[in-house]
Amino acid sequence: MNKILNLLLPILRLILNHEKLQKQSNNWNDSPIASKKTETLRSEIPIPETVEKPLFFHPVRIVSERVTSPYGYRTLNIDGKAVRQFHIGTDFGGSGPVYAVEDCIVTKALSADKKYPVRFAKRDQTWVDLIKSKEIPAGRAWTPYVILKGIHTGNEYKYKHVDPSVEVGAEIKAGSEIGRSGNFGYSMGAHLHFEVWVNSKTVDPLKYLKSLELVK
Ligand SMILES: [Zn+2]
């Protein structure tokens, strides 16, 4: 019994620690104003009766070379301090249209803060948090986003720093535009932060897209 426990404990610790990390990494939207403004789908998602061979698309049109920050541990320089964090998505640099990976239902959406679109500014080689420096009121410059639930896989796709062009509850065809990425919210330059959740856990989006043969 003890032997089994000794074997299992490190694995358990790893799993628990990973879940904690995933929760901590959701620091991009801690604003009560943002949660009030967020639209959320309340009803169940219908399962289609006939599933044809589903199509899958990359979330941006110009692909792999535009990855500006991969999935995994990274260190950012914020307010003159090195901040180490687990990055639970893949960043694709640039502003422009983003697309549904598969046929999806929009389950959550939040529009950009038009008055205070972005929270960070680069000054003297560091990123200044404009809420901490009191240049932006607390709770503003939230991160706009769209969350889609895949009809064929049941997986969740989170598109952050994206101003949505779709409404909650809408059924979206694979490959259609769902909004535009930009330098919005908890952001240090225009990009799409893209997450893939399988069975309520994040996976490396690039590996996921590779498994669908959407990235070489
Ligand atoms: Zn990111």
Side-chain angles (χ1 to χ4, degrees):
M1 188 63 191
N2 266 348
K3 263 189 187 168
I4 299 168
L5 263 179
N6 281 343
L7 271 172
L8 281 178
L9 268 175
I11 299 165
L12 264 175
R13 264 194 221 110
L14 206 75
I15 294 167
L16 289 173
N17 192 30
H18 192 68
E19 277 177 3
K20 211 172 117 199
L21 274 172
Q22 294 195 330
K23 282 201 189 104
Q24 284 171 347
S25 301
N26 274 328
N27 60 356
W28 49 276
N29 251 0
D30 51 5
S31 151
I33 306 174
S35 26
K36 251 189 231 162
K37 282 181 177 282
T38 303
E39 282 187 77
T40 306
L41 185 71
R42 301 281 171 213
S43 56
E44 284 292 302
I45 290 162
I47 295 159
E49 280 171 28
T50 49
V51 180
E52 298 144 29
K53 199 167 180 249
L55 290 172
F56 291 90
F57 288 84
H58 198 285
V60 290
R61 282 287 184 263
I62 307 160
V63 291
S64 45
E65 67 271 18
R66 292 177 66 204
V67 172
T68 51
S69 184
Y71 180 86
Y73 282 102
R74 67 177 180 183
T75 305
L76 298 174
N77 189 322
I78 299 173
D79 293 328
K81 272 174 279 174
V83 180
R84 190 168 152 81
Q85 55 176 228
F86 192 87
H87 187 224
I88 59 173
T90 299
D91 291 347
F92 297 96
S95 55
V98 299
Y99 305 94
V101 172
E102 60 173 298
D103 295 333
C104 287
I105 302 278
V106 183
T107 57
K108 260 187 171 196
L110 175 64
S111 294
D113 185 341
K114 300 291 182 282
K115 193 166 180 192
Y116 302 101
V118 64
R119 181 162 165 174
F120 291 94
K122 194 161 196 187
R123 288 172 196 159
D124 304 325
Q125 305 305 311
T126 191
W127 287 98
V128 176
D129 185 337
L130 299 174
I131 289 182
K132 280 194 187 146
S133 69
K134 301 214 159 43
E135 286 160 80
I136 287 180
R140 300 304 298 260
W142 57 75
T143 301
Y145 64 92
V146 182
I147 299 179
L148 303 180
K149 178 102 173 164
I151 288 175
H152 305 293
T153 62
N155 297 336
E156 256 192 325
Y157 307 101
K158 301 190 183 182
Y159 299 72
K160 295 174 185 171
H161 316 288
V162 165
D163 202 18
S165 58
V166 289
E167 277 174 20
V168 166
E171 216 180 304
I172 305 295
K173 283 276 160 229
S176 48
E177 186 180 327
I178 56 157
R180 295 182 75 84
S181 65
N183 192 19
F184 301 129
Y186 200 95
S187 175
M188 296 149 193
H191 72 289
L192 161 69
H193 167 100
F194 177 65
E195 291 171 19
V196 179
W197 292 70
V198 178
N199 298 323
S200 308
K201 283 194 168 59
T202 62
V203 298
D204 183 338
L206 272 191
K207 282 189 186 151
Y208 183 81
L209 295 172
K210 269 180 197 159
S211 75
L212 295 168
E213 296 176 348
L214 296 169
V215 178
K216 272 176 218 150

